[in-house]
Amino acid sequence: MTEKAALPRTKLFISKATPGDDAFASWLAPRLEAHGYEVFADILDLSPGDGWRLKITRTLQDEAVKMLLCCSDETLAREGVLEEIEIAKDLSRSLNDPRFIVPLKMRRFKKLFGIGSLQYIDFERNWAGGLTRLLEFLEEENVPRSEARAIQHGWAAYRRRQSVALRREPEVLTSNWLRVLTVPDEIYHVRPLRSLSEKRIAALAKESPFPVLEHAGGYLSFATASDFEAAFPATGRFETLWSVAYTDFCENGHPASSLGSIDARRHLVNLFRLAWEMQCRKQGFLQHTFSSGFAAIVSDAKIEIGKRIRWGRQGQRRSSVLRNIARKKLWEFGVTAYPNLFPFPHYRLKARVLFSELNGMKKGTVIDDPRAQHRLRRGVCSAWRNRAWHGRLMAILELMAGESPYVTLPTGGGSYIVLDAMPIQVTVPVTARQLHELGEDAEEKDISTLDGFFGEYEA
């Protein structure tokens, strides 16, 4: 009886967690194939009816030339991955290939016995950089490849299967826009009667209890001269050089002072922005400046760690957590507001997450390395599905509005910018349904958080 001939070892075997690393595998595999390498990954190579564990084991034992091991604490805790590592360690010895196992660092991970000394390829910083280094390594190792460079069509089919399905049913979507309901009637150009230095003019603008902009030796504001006199009694009298109705100023500017409509709208947007930021400071939100703007962060002055904030009205009461612990760091949710006057006055909200060190179970210093902040956002927040982001946004608006259905921003002299605390909703003709739906009132669990579950629930 003749022995069965050994299969050639040509396959790069991707060892990963399912479904946690599926997105990465579906990104990496076709790029390796484009360079002529043959790839095995269970998401594509297992057909219905396959003895999946047997096929995976035989492919690794008989056909793999290298094992590409996705490394994170979550992946390396999987029983199937640990079994594959043990098989690969045996193969490394029998094939006399100490670099048979190729660790791909997805996130920081604890070293495992037997592979702790292996040099990993870093995919945590960015996938493209990791791919470049991996291709260099495979060439150094003389891993066989084909000049044909055929990419399996199955990768595109897999991604289509994982995409969002559409149904021909109307769906109501909630945006991140807050509609401006009312604005002050007039805008004023005010200046002090006595001459002040530019430095003092600027200092008064920073000290102002209402939003003002320096302009032509004075200030543009929604506040009147008497409001300025009450705010700065030591400065003396103020005079109103001109005042214009809000709508006229927005459309035409102030031609008499050579202030065109474009500059006028820019000034209005800045006043809207200052009104938001000043109200956030007044309400005790932490101010933090990101690369693209100021953010109002929910800090310990607002709520304690792990506390749920109830939000929603008319039978839709739910709750969300805005401060919690993950990966031994404290995360705090916040928003940046971008005012805009087109196509109608509104504020566009951008979600923010700020990470700090822990001092026991209390907040320590804010992590000041932007790259570390970015890695933590990718590692922690990537697990938050749309419902989580939506819930946190609604909860922070609940904090700002209180018992009112509106967010009110004082602008001086009893005038206000009033926003609808409910973001603008739109109805679209189709309904999107994602795979792995969590139900109406549930979200994903995250075992790294303080209470193990930070979703929304029905009250």
Side-chain angles (χ1 to χ4, degrees), residues 290-312:
F290 290 85
S291 59
S292 57
F294 160 94
I297 303 294
V298 180
S299 67
D300 49 4
K302 296 295 293 181
I303 55 172
E304 61 195 50
I305 295 172
K307 182 178 179 180
R308 296 181 182 277
I309 302 300
R310 292 168 61 85
W311 57 269

Side-chain angles (χ1 to χ4, degrees), residues 35-84:
H35 285 80
Y37 296 106
E38 190 177 358
V39 180
F40 175 92
D42 58 10
I43 57 177
L44 187 64
D45 290 276
L46 295 181
S47 303
D50 281 344
W52 62 273
R53 177 51 62 189
L54 180 61
K55 183 171 182 178
I56 289 174
T57 301
R58 285 181 174 173
T59 302
L60 177 57
Q61 288 179 329
D62 301 334
E63 302 177 57
V65 63
K66 297 287 182 184
M67 183 174 87
L68 308 181
L69 175 60
C70 296
C71 291
S72 67
D73 285 336
E74 296 87 351
T75 298
L76 296 179
R78 294 295 184 93
E79 182 178 349
V81 174
L82 292 174
E83 290 177 2
E84 290 166 6

